[in-house]
Amino acid sequence: ACTEGTSGQPCDMDCGTHGSCVILSGTESCLCQEGWQGDVCDSCADGYIPRNDECVLPGPDPCQPNPCTQPYKTRCEAEQNGAVCLCDDDAQDNDGDGVCLPSCALLSRFYPTQACDDSSGLARLLGVRTCVTVLRLDPGDQSFDDLYARGEFNQWDLSSPLHLRDDGLWELQLSLEPGDYAYKFFTNGQQGWFEDPANPFFKWVDGQRNSRLQVADCKKPMLVLLHEPLTNADGEVLLDVQFVDGASGLGLREDSVSVQMDGQDVEVDLDPSSGVISLHQPGLLNGKYSFRFEAGDSSGDMAQALYVPVWVEGKKFDWRSAVMYFAMTDRFLDGNVSNDNAVDGVDPKANWHGGDFDGIRKKIESGYFDQLGVNVIWLSSISENAAGAYEGSQNRLYSAYHSYWPVSTGWSLDHPLPGKLPVEPHFGTSEELKTLIRIAHAHGIRVIVDLVLNHVHEDSPLWTEHSQDNPPWFHLPAEGCKETDWTKPVTCWFAPYLPDFDYTNTRVMDTMMNHAVWLVEEYNIDGFRVDAVKHMVDDVVHSLRGRMEQILRFSGLRFYMVGETFTGEDGADLLKHYIGEDALDGQFDFPLFWKITSVFLRKEQDLKSLEQMVAQNDSLYGQWAIMSNFLGNHDVCRALSQANGDIGDIWCNGGKEQGWTNPPQQPVSQEPYSRLALAWVFLMTSPGIPLIYYGDEIGMAGAGDPDNRRPMVFDDELNEAQKGLLALVQKLGNLRHDHPCLWDGDRRDLLVSDDGNLWAYAMGDQSDTVVVVINRSGQSRSVSIPLTGLNIDDGSSFYDELGLKSFEVSEGKLELDVDAMGAGILTVE
């Protein structure tokens, strides 16, 4: 008597929220809503996908790419009508204003013994500064029956056990006097003694390296940045900094509060009861700004000044998108002849040429770097260098134009070096450097500086004052690197006049790390090129990263550190050793450089060998790594002269002497420029930061040092081939920014010819695909490129950005002609 498919009869079956009970053939059943299926309508029907408790037809994922880019609000959830942005797991919006800020859970990671309250929407530390020091260990996959901290604070005994918390972390709370303590963790299990893996700082005792516990004076107040700087489209910056009183509870002296932006006083709001200093700075133009907060207590004790760098720009910068230019300062452009002071008796090849900060500034202002797509400039070390002449390679006299003979390295605000200047006077003044950096930032260009930490020149006050110290500041007795055949890279001296630091001495480490911090805070720089990484103990890069993390905590900025570790074709493992979140961001990829030189410039290997290498190399160094790829630098023969056959071998053996006695001339044929052009196409369409060594964008000739450091030439000084190469590099640099898949995407091989002279690959992400075709042969090629797996439909159109032609996809392929020694970069129209 029941009506089929109706619910008119009693029907009590629970069909959840996506179905209703109906009678079918006298039996209770569930009638599912559209998109749902199953006995009780609890799964998605065929062709539908789950999304936020709904079953929807598949389509573009609104969370890919992630539209959620506000600080602390990067968690994206897809909804039927789009995406919603939510606070990160360690953030909160307790005041409901739509702005996510750190929760107390996040703040407590860095201040674990301080009480905290985030109920107002702004997490604040409560009370005075505590005097408890905490050691914690995340055991990860390891298991311990017991765990102890043994160090100088307990005479290395077993009196300080850690306890296992409910969350799986091991913890120890200590009450210690301010000071510096070496320690290790210890377990009675198999592992025995081991360093604290979460601590980037080290202290050597009796020739053994230990973790280093630095206990600050809790009686002094401190300043804490409470969240990443907030900016908006109107150029407004919002900052909240808290004054936390010292343990003595002497209270904030309100008239001691001072805040400066780029050296000029700015107004702030102060809440004396909480100690929160709030800054709302409106109307700032695009660029980078440096804020400095100061405050003290009623006794006159000042907290350590707080440096907060802030970028105002339309889109958050990603270092993977960088195009870097090394403007070797002395050889780039003479902008101020008043600081030109060559050294008597030194050949011009190895002497000062007058390049300076003003010269680089003028080229920034002229748009030279913007036209190249350059958004990172690497400057020579800014430290003052030795005066006079010293013997270099081939027993010839050199000046310190290269800036690797520092005498003022070690300078800091609290430790100026007597009789020395903080900045190389041939390059200009501190104010001229600040002007250069400020204008670069206004152009959206980051500035990194060469950081020379391995050694100083013998004219440095550090050598004069500490050469006889015990424990020693330097590796003594001196052993030359060449004399020991480079078998003692950490302890050897590059030259008899370049004392080599011994970083097992804590005072040396502190002096040089304080210098690095001073450089960042004084000049508002964005990163370091770390010189001679393999010639220093590992502690250096770990300590450098640790100090940068300390001063930039909550700034939201990644401070980029790229290492120089000169190595051969098989040196990838050595490069990788120094890369990680607790060390360098990346290194200059020497193994890839040698391959590029062989394949494109010297044509000794084919494109198959390069394709096989990059299949591994693109991801070899890990997700954290941002490597830098290059065609030349100041330590190798010029790329164009390699391409012209002027250099004896790939390694530039004999190149230094050749530069003095038989320097290569600028080629008259097009062939070497075409080879270099193909190398540029590959470099600019590959993951990693492409480095333009000044002059390689125009194809300057040169053998070894110092011939590879000829003065830069511009404009009418260029021949037609150089002008054409420059136009290509400009095109490539800007294409890289127009198509983020060239630096953010994955490489997919499409075609490699049997003869190894033609290679086609795609760089793609979820929103864009670029096809790159390189023809290394001397004949034009007609090619059919399969687009399998790229999700490109027939009828789609590609535009060759180099050949300026359109091509249509047919039967899943692209048919096109590629010029001899030519290339195509095809973008979806």
Side-chain angles (χ1 to χ4, degrees), residues 71 87 132 159 203 218 327-328 348 476 485 571 637 642 670 724 816:
C87 292
V132 176
S159 61
K203 184 177 182 182
C218 62
M328 194 171 194
L476 296 169
D485 197 24
C637 287
Q642 286 278 18
Q670 179 61 39
L816 67 153

Side-chain angles (χ1 to χ4, degrees), residues 401-565:
Y401 73 93
H402 42 69
S403 199
Y404 289 113
W405 297 345
V407 296
S408 67
T409 300
W411 185 292
S412 65
L413 184 65
D414 299 325
H415 189 234
L417 299 181
K420 303 300 178 186
L421 297 171
V423 169
E424 172 52 56
H426 284 90
F427 295 162
T429 65
S430 284
E431 288 307 312
E432 288 169 336
L433 174 59
K434 290 178 181 179
T435 299
L436 182 164
I437 294 173
R438 176 178 54 81
I439 291 174
H441 287 158
H443 281 248
I445 296 173
R446 272 65 182 167
V447 177
I448 71 173
V449 300
D450 220 323
L451 185 63
V452 182
L453 297 177
N454 176 68
H455 59 269
V456 288
H457 190 274
E458 63 184 5
D459 286 347
S460 166
L462 296 182
W463 171 252
T464 304
E465 297 171 6
H466 301 292
S467 61
Q468 304 300 316
D469 281 14
N470 188 24
W473 274 55
F474 301 92
H475 290 117
L476 296 169
E479 293 183 291
C481 294
K482 292 180 181 179
E483 289 73 18
T484 58
D485 197 24
W486 300 89
T487 57
K488 301 178 180 180
V490 171
T491 60
C492 69
W493 291 29
F494 287 158
Y497 46 83
L498 298 178
D500 193 90
F501 280 123
D502 183 349
Y503 278 100
T504 65
N505 185 329
T506 303
R507 289 186 62 199
V508 174
M509 182 69 76
D510 287 347
T511 298
M512 303 310 284
M513 294 302 106
N514 290 342
H515 171 68
V517 168
W518 172 79
L519 284 174
V520 174
E521 296 186 348
E522 180 72 12
Y523 298 106
N524 209 18
I525 61 176
D526 305 285
F528 289 131
R529 181 266 190 186
V530 184
D531 182 57
V533 171
K534 68 180 180 182
H535 294 279
M536 300 177 287
V537 291
D538 296 358
D539 311 25
V540 175
V541 295
H542 292 297
S543 295
L544 189 60
R545 172 62 67 196
R547 290 299 300 273
M548 293 304 106
E549 290 294 316
Q550 285 179 342
I551 67 168
L552 297 174
R553 182 176 297 158
F554 288 155
S555 72
L557 301 181
R558 180 170 181 173
F559 188 86
Y560 183 66
M561 300 199 309
V562 59
E564 183 266 335
T565 304

Side-chain angles (χ1 to χ4, degrees), residues 198-211:
N199 188 346
F201 305 111
F202 303 95
K203 184 177 182 182
W204 291 73
V205 177
D206 297 331
Q208 296 293 318
R209 194 179 80 168
N210 307 277
S211 294

Side-chain angles (χ1 to χ4, degrees), residues 756-773:
N757 281 322
L758 186 138
W759 181 23
Y761 56 87
M763 293 297 297
D765 57 23
Q766 293 182 336
S767 60
D768 192 16
T769 298
V770 174
V771 175
V772 181
V773 190

